[in-house]
Amino acid sequence: MRLNRVLEEARAKGYTIEDNGLGNLWVVMPREAFKEEMVHYKALGFNYLADIVGLDYLEYPDPRPERFAVVYELVSLPGWQDGDGSRFFVRVYVPEKDPRLPTVTDLWGSANFLEREVYDLFGIVFEGHPDLRKILTPEDLEGHPLRKDFPLGETPTLFREGRFIVPSEFRASLTGKNPGLTLYRGGSRKGYRALWADLMKAKEVK
């Protein structure tokens, strides 16, 4: 399979290979080699770019080479251009002081909107993109919302039976900065069976 060749070449070049044990593999490569390798993968038969995802490791507990990374999902799509079903991810770390990568829109058309999304939400510039501009946020919004240091304006969420959470404190609990869920009170949320019983009781009262 094409994936075997990718892994063999990556090991020979000293690239890190990450495996989550669930069939997902990442090839981690330096930014300087990125475009050349992507051209090679396209020629090798990875005919479909399924996704591009930006990552911000600002508050990540394990040290990373750079604050930002961009991950590309490449697929050799079966039934098209001799695809064999191989699939893997490319991870490239991007320095905070110079968040740039070459575009791959010249290799896969699907990169167009995906690169614009990462640019909009993380501020990573894709050099050579034919139309690099915002795609999700308003033109007058300053900053990039998926960066970990982006200031958030939030509204408390009210749940059934008067229970509510404050988003900032809820998020802090998830990251381990606060124990438990603050301002979260009341019993467990009712499932659809309990809600249906409530509706039936209300109908009987009428």
Side-chain angles (χ1 to χ4, degrees):
M1 293 185 70
R2 290 179 173 88
L3 179 58
N4 294 332
R5 180 172 171 182
V6 167
L7 299 178
E8 290 173 4
E9 292 176 349
R11 293 187 186 100
K13 295 174 181 178
Y15 298 161
T16 300
I17 298 173
E18 300 174 352
D19 184 350
N20 70 351
L22 300 173
N24 296 315
L25 296 167
W26 288 259
V27 173
V28 184
M29 64 184 60
R31 182 170 61 165
E32 295 74 22
F34 165 72
K35 187 59 182 279
E36 181 181 353
E37 294 289 3
M38 296 298 265
V39 170
H40 173 60
Y41 294 147
K42 177 67 182 292
L44 191 59
F46 286 88
N47 51 37
Y48 179 49
L49 172 66
D51 205 359
I52 303 176
V53 178
L55 298 167
D56 182 356
Y57 292 104
L58 180 64
E59 298 178 354
Y60 200 70
D62 297 327
R64 295 283 171 154
E66 301 288 352
R67 173 179 172 180
F68 297 112
V70 181
V71 173
Y72 299 75
E73 182 182 0
L74 298 182
V75 182
S76 179
L77 202 63
W80 186 48
Q81 296 180 350
D82 194 34
D84 67 359
S86 293
R87 170 181 170 270
F88 75 106
F89 299 87
V90 172
R91 187 192 308 272
V92 187
Y93 287 99
V94 182
E96 181 178 1
K97 292 183 179 180
D98 183 27
R100 296 175 180 272
L101 279 174
T103 185
V104 292
T105 52
D106 54 324
L107 302 175
W108 298 279
S110 57
N112 192 326
F113 284 7
L114 296 172
E115 288 183 351
R116 284 179 57 189
E117 181 177 330
V118 175
Y119 165 71
D120 189 0
L121 300 180
F122 289 92
I124 295 172
V125 174
F126 295 91
E127 296 181 315
H129 190 288
D131 186 26
L132 191 61
R133 56 192 171 91
K134 291 187 171 194
I135 192 171
L136 294 175
T137 66
E139 287 297 328
D140 58 353
L141 177 71
E142 296 183 5
H144 306 283
L146 288 189
R147 288 191 174 192
K148 291 295 189 343
D149 53 3
F150 184 81
L152 298 177
E154 300 169 311
T155 302
T157 303
L158 179 64
F159 290 98
R160 192 175 168 83
E161 300 171 350
R163 297 177 298 117
F164 65 99
I165 61 173
V166 174
S168 59
E169 299 183 16
F170 174 73
R171 188 170 57 252
S173 72
L174 295 179
T175 57
K177 295 180 179 178
N178 251 343
L181 304 179
T182 57
L183 299 177
Y184 191 97
R185 54 193 173 85
S188 59
R189 295 188 69 181
K190 291 188 176 182
Y192 72 92
R193 294 181 188 277
L195 294 175
W196 179 255
D198 287 349
L199 290 173
M200 292 300 99
K201 288 180 181 178
K203 187 176 181 180
E204 291 173 2
V205 171
K206 291 182 179 180

